[in-house]
């Protein structure tokens, strides 16, 4: 009988990913609000790694905790998984928003994306300029090279509202002073976030729920690839440009195969082919609830999705085998 194999990654992996981010999120959540970013990150890394190593994959971390010499675990190039099964690229951030978690503020997440080998942008840990919107817009509404005013006007027009009804999400950083001024001059509103721009980009996919229409500004490049992977699965548009503003950064990027330091990457160039993405809330957020600890169980809230089918699942899980966490 003919096999009805689905193209791309084995879809069974989709649900397996949930366990990976759930476990990292629970570990980090135990350290919410303790003011210790490093400790929260470390427990999330340990938990994610041990769960990843139970997956039937031959995985390579391509976006991880850092270069091999600066990250003892989940470093870029580390091989994870059981060592059998498909060869995959992995982008991960066991605790996206370490400071948010340490302060117990909204929207810290445990996130992971898996793609076929060679399908994710091998981005160095530098900054990336980003622009993103959610699904439902015609192609070409955003352009990273256009002034923010133009992008906001185009998004408002396509949405059928005035610019004053648009909200942009921007990282609260001194480097964004001019951008913030420009956006405000249009009458648009801004959600200034302290950290967590993976969540910021994902939030553009559900403006009614999150109040965010567009993501703008400069954040981490690894977070850019993770956000692009997520948008590939929900739909939306995103562009990114690495900020390779020193010779040293240009050289580092070149080592990772990036020959044009000023290239604008489209979402599909940052995460190609079949992509799986999962995120579990660590602290409460606009789209995902944080981990809840009660006497008899631990509750987690995860979003898990796959680009080839554009299926988005939300999984609320009650874990009663608490000693395992
Ligand atoms: C953002 C944010 C992350 O890094 O990417 C940011 O989303 C960029 O770096 O949560 P700066 O903090 O230097 O601006 C994080 O804050 C941490 O990785």
């Amino acid at each position: 009988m003919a096999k009805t194999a689905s193209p791309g990654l084995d879809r069974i992996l989709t649900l397996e990913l949930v366990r990976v981010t759930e476990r990292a999120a629970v570990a980090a959540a135990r350290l919410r609000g303790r003011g210790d970013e490093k400790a929260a990150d470390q427990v999330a890394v340990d938990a994610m790694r041990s769960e990843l190593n139970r997956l039937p994959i031959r995985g390579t971390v391509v976006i991880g905790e850092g270069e091999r010499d600066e990250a003892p675990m989940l470093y870029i190039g580390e091989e994870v998984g059981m060592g059998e099964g498909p060869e995959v690229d992995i982008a991960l951030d066991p605790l996206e928003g370490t400071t948010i978690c340490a302060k117990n503020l909204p929207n810290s997440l445990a996130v992971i994306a898996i793609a076929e080998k060679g399908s994710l942008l091998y981005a160095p840990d530098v900054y990336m300029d980003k622009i993103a919107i959610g699904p439902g817009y015609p192609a070409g509404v955003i352009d990273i090279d256009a002034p923010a005013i133009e992008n906001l006007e185009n998004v408002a027009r396509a949405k059928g509202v005035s610019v004053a009804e648009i909200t942009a999400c921007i990282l609260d950083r001194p480097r964004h002073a001019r951008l913030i001024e420009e956006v405000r001059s249009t009458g648009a509103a801004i959600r200034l976030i302290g950290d967590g721009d993976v969540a910021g980009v994902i939030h553009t996919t559900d403006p009614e729920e999150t109040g965010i229409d567009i993501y703008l500004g400069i954040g981490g490049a690894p977070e850019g690839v993770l956000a692009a992977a997520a948008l590939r699965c929900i739909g939306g548009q995103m562009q990114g440009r690495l900020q390779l503003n020193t010779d040293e950064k240009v050289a580092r990027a070149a080592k990772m195969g990036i020959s044009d330091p000023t290239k604008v990457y489209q979402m599909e160039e940052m995460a190609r082919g079949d992509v799986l993405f999962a995120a579990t809330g660590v602290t409460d957020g606009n789209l995902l609830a944080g981990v809840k600890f009660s006497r008899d169980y631990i509750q987690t809230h995860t979003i898990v999705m796959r680009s080839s089918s554009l299926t988005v699942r939300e999984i609320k899980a009650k874990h009663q085998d608490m000693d395992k966490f």
Side-chain angles (χ1 to χ4, degrees):
M1 215 169 40
K3 271 195 196 163
T4 51
S6 62
L9 295 166
D10 191 333
R11 67 179 191 171
I12 287 179
L13 281 176
T14 320
L15 295 180
E16 291 293 323
L17 279 193
V18 177
R19 292 198 182 87
V20 176
T21 53
E22 278 178 353
R23 186 176 275 252
V26 171
R30 290 192 190 284
L31 295 179
R32 281 185 305 223
R34 318 281 160 171
D36 191 342
E37 284 97 342
K38 277 217 172 104
D41 196 38
Q42 190 56 55
V43 292
V45 169
D46 292 349
M48 181 170 275
R49 185 167 181 260
S50 74
E51 206 56 46
L52 255 180
N53 281 332
R54 297 169 71 176
L55 291 191
I57 53 168
R58 284 177 295 156
T60 305
V61 175
V62 299
I63 298 283
E65 287 293 290
E67 318 277 323
R68 184 195 281 261
D69 53 351
E70 60 196 29
M73 275 201 251
L74 297 180
Y75 55 83
I76 297 165
E78 183 174 348
E79 289 179 9
V80 291
M82 287 165 62
E84 58 191 53
E87 279 192 280
V88 293
D89 277 354
I90 301 178
L92 50 82
D93 198 344
L95 181 56
E96 155 60 347
T98 50
T99 308
I100 307 179
C101 176
K103 293 183 177 173
N104 208 352
L105 290 170
N107 293 317
S108 61
L109 306 171
V111 292
I112 192 164
I114 291 196
E116 291 160 283
K117 196 173 169 54
S119 306
L120 297 175
L121 175 66
Y122 298 174
D125 192 1
V126 295
Y127 285 121
M128 178 190 272
D129 194 10
K130 310 171 195 179
I131 181 167
I133 53 174
Y137 292 99
V141 168
I142 50 167
D143 175 1
I144 200 164
D145 285 322
I149 298 184
E150 214 171 293
N151 282 307
L152 291 166
E153 279 171 355
N154 287 342
V155 168
R157 195 173 312 114
K159 197 179 174 186
V161 299
S162 70
V163 179
E165 288 169 80
I166 296 294
T167 300
C169 180
I170 299 176
L171 275 170
D172 192 1
R173 297 288 187 278
R175 64 177 175 266
H176 289 147
R178 269 185 53 198
L179 175 65
I180 290 168
E181 211 178 294
E182 196 183 335
V183 171
R184 290 208 169 118
S185 75
T186 67
I190 299 178
R191 169 92 47 90
L192 278 178
I193 56 170
D195 289 285
D197 69 349
V198 176
V201 171
I202 296 175
H203 287 164
T204 65
T205 65
D206 193 352
E208 280 183 23
E209 195 60 40
T210 64
I212 290 168
D213 299 289
I214 182 168
Y215 181 86
L216 291 171
I218 296 172
E223 288 87 352
V225 175
L226 278 161
L231 275 201
R232 278 285 321 287
C233 300
I234 320 178
Q237 298 174 43
M238 180 172 174
Q239 295 165 354
R241 181 187 272 123
L242 297 171
Q243 302 293 287
L244 300 172
N245 46 7
T246 64
D247 290 346
E248 184 267 333
K249 287 179 191 167
V250 171
R252 247 165 70 205
K255 262 203 208 153
M256 297 176 87
I258 293 164
S259 53
D260 176 359
T262 59
K263 181 178 163 54
V264 171
Y265 290 91
Q266 304 293 328
M267 177 178 78
E268 296 80 2
E269 295 174 295
M270 292 190 263
R272 288 180 296 270
D274 195 12
V275 177
L276 312 178
F277 179 95
T280 302
V282 176
T283 53
D284 277 337
N286 298 83
L287 279 182
L288 291 169
V291 177
K292 288 190 180 64
F293 295 96
S294 59
R295 213 190 53 180
D296 301 321
Y297 56 85
I298 301 169
Q299 192 165 308
T300 53
H301 188 188
T302 303
I303 191 168
V304 57
M305 40 214 194
R306 181 180 185 210
S307 68
S308 69
S309 58
L310 291 176
T311 312
V312 178
R313 293 181 170 87
E314 273 186 57
I315 299 184
K316 277 195 178 155
K318 283 184 180 170
H319 309 274
Q320 299 194 45
D321 51 348
M322 294 164 73
D323 49 331
K324 269 207 198 152
F325 280 90

